[in-house]
């Protein structure tokens, strides 16, 4: 489950990073950005509640982030090796003794 969640987060992060870079590469000044563009950039910088607030508030938040030199997260693509490991874990048979229920049951027997 953790690997599946990681894969999903990284895929979403890469898509978001692409959108954000496209906005930044357009060369548009922050003062000229509209709400949806600001939402993408704030979300990319992991700002809490990126869609809340008025456009001017969002612009100020983005300016503060950039002035503070906060780095945006970088997402690595999902590799073939990770995909093979995920498939292996999904298809590997699990013994009943390897479950949390079995471990709990064995602790209570003693």
């Amino acid at each position: 489950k953790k690997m599946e969640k990681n894969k999903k987060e990284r895929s979403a992060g890469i898509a978001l990073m692409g959108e954000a870079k496209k906005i930044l590469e357009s060369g548009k000044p922050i003062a000229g950005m509209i709400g949806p563009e600001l939402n993408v950039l704030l979300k990319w910088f992991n700002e809490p509640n990126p869609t809340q607030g008025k456009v001017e508030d969002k612009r100020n938040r983005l300016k503060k982030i950039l002035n503070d030199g906060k780095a945006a997260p970088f997402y690595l693509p999902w590799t073939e090796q990770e995909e093979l490991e995920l498939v292996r874990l999904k298809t590997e048979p699990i013994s009943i003794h390897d479950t949390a229920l079995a471990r709990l049951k064995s602790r209570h027997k003693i």
Side-chain angles (χ1 to χ4, degrees), residues 69-101:
K70 180 178 176 184
F74 181 78
Y75 297 94
L76 295 173
W78 190 254
T79 64
E80 187 65 32
Q81 184 178 2
E82 289 171 313
E83 185 63 30
L84 291 173
E85 179 65 13
L86 180 60
V87 169
R88 184 189 67 77
L89 288 172
K90 281 182 166 182
T91 57
E92 186 176 272
I94 299 173
S95 166
I96 190 70
H97 301 292
D98 293 334
T99 64
L101 180 61

Side-chain angles (χ1 to χ4, degrees), residues 1-108:
K1 293 280 182 193
K2 286 181 184 179
M3 281 189 82
E4 288 175 333
K5 183 180 176 185
N6 187 335
K7 179 181 179 181
K8 186 176 179 180
E9 286 174 355
R10 282 166 55 182
S11 297
I14 288 171
L16 182 63
M17 190 168 64
E19 285 182 64
K21 284 186 177 184
K22 194 183 306 180
I23 293 167
L24 293 174
E25 289 170 355
S26 72
K28 190 185 262 189
I30 293 174
M33 291 183 183
I34 59 175
E37 294 169 326
L38 294 165
N39 292 346
V40 168
L41 292 172
L42 290 171
K43 190 173 181 182
W44 185 40
F45 280 101
N46 290 323
E47 271 292 293
N49 306 317
T51 59
Q52 291 184 348
K54 295 183 179 184
V55 173
E56 196 56 40
D57 296 333
K58 292 177 187 181
R59 287 180 182 141
N60 290 334
R61 286 167 52 194
L62 183 59
K63 285 177 189 175
K64 183 177 182 338
I65 289 168
L66 296 175
N67 288 338
D68 291 347
K70 180 178 176 184
F74 181 78
Y75 297 94
L76 295 173
W78 190 254
T79 64
E80 187 65 32
Q81 184 178 2
E82 289 171 313
E83 185 63 30
L84 291 173
E85 179 65 13
L86 180 60
V87 169
R88 184 189 67 77
L89 288 172
K90 281 182 166 182
T91 57
E92 186 176 272
I94 299 173
S95 166
I96 190 70
H97 301 292
D98 293 334
T99 64
L101 180 61
R103 288 190 294 273
L104 180 66
K105 192 173 180 181
S106 69
R107 271 193 273 154
H108 289 298

